[in-house]
Amino acid sequence: MVHELADYERAPEQCHLTGEQLTTALFATAPALFGHVAVDDADQPIGFALWFLNFSTWEGVHGIYLEDLYVRPAARGTGAGRLLLATLAAICVERGYRRLDWWMINWNPAARFYAAIGATPMDEWVPYRLAGPALHELAAQVPAAPTRPDA
């Protein structure tokens, strides 16, 4: 379904995730990625939420960052997306997290759904990304760690 999401977001060529990578990320000894799958009455997957913890230095507590929420087109309007988000909200409340954050492509019609559940866009924050050659260039600026003769 992650590749279906990439198609929906008009970027299929950017999605390189394999099933093995996802399995490793979700089921590692100490996973840093978590997920929920919505299924229909026939136990067939119709949607998913992939998320990880973030931390607010202002609030002093963790929160959830929702990396991806996807519901297959045939299942939209069934409440699957709302239930996935409600599950994450319940985890936040249960664990004392103060926020559930995510980004959304600006043309996504889900904006109406998000507004209906009380989510507000954070348009005063500008997302930045460092990737590719620029990421490698910056990483190369870290001086080599000195070697210790006793190490």
Side-chain angles (χ1 to χ4, degrees):
M1 280 191 287
V2 172
H3 289 276
E4 291 176 31
L5 173 60
D7 285 338
Y8 176 76
E9 292 186 354
R10 305 173 189 159
E13 71 287 349
Q14 295 178 33
C15 185
H16 305 288
L17 180 72
T18 67
E20 182 179 326
Q21 288 173 316
L22 185 57
T23 298
T24 299
L26 288 168
F27 301 106
T29 303
L33 178 69
F34 306 93
H36 297 271
V37 176
V39 296
D40 62 15
D41 292 336
D43 209 31
Q44 295 300 306
I46 58 170
F48 71 89
L50 290 175
W51 58 276
F52 51 87
L53 293 179
N54 58 18
F55 186 82
S56 169
T57 54
W58 290 16
E59 296 283 349
V61 296
H62 283 289
I64 288 178
Y65 180 80
L66 175 61
E67 177 66 18
D68 287 316
L69 174 69
Y70 178 73
V71 175
R72 288 185 160 149
R76 292 182 188 152
T78 65
R82 178 181 291 269
L83 185 55
L84 286 164
L85 282 174
T87 299
L88 298 184
I91 291 169
C92 287
V93 170
E94 175 186 308
R95 296 181 184 178
Y97 303 160
R98 302 239 178 106
R99 354 191 242 216
L100 170 56
D101 295 317
W102 66 90
W103 289 4
M104 181 198 74
I105 290 179
N106 62 3
W107 52 261
N108 191 331
R112 291 185 304 277
F113 163 63
Y114 295 145
I117 63 169
T120 56
M122 305 237 345
D123 56 5
E124 70 272 16
W125 294 90
V126 179
Y128 282 83
R129 176 171 292 153
L130 190 59
L135 177 68
H136 289 271
E137 277 182 40
L138 185 59
Q141 295 176 22
V142 174
T147 57
R148 293 182 13 211
D150 61 335

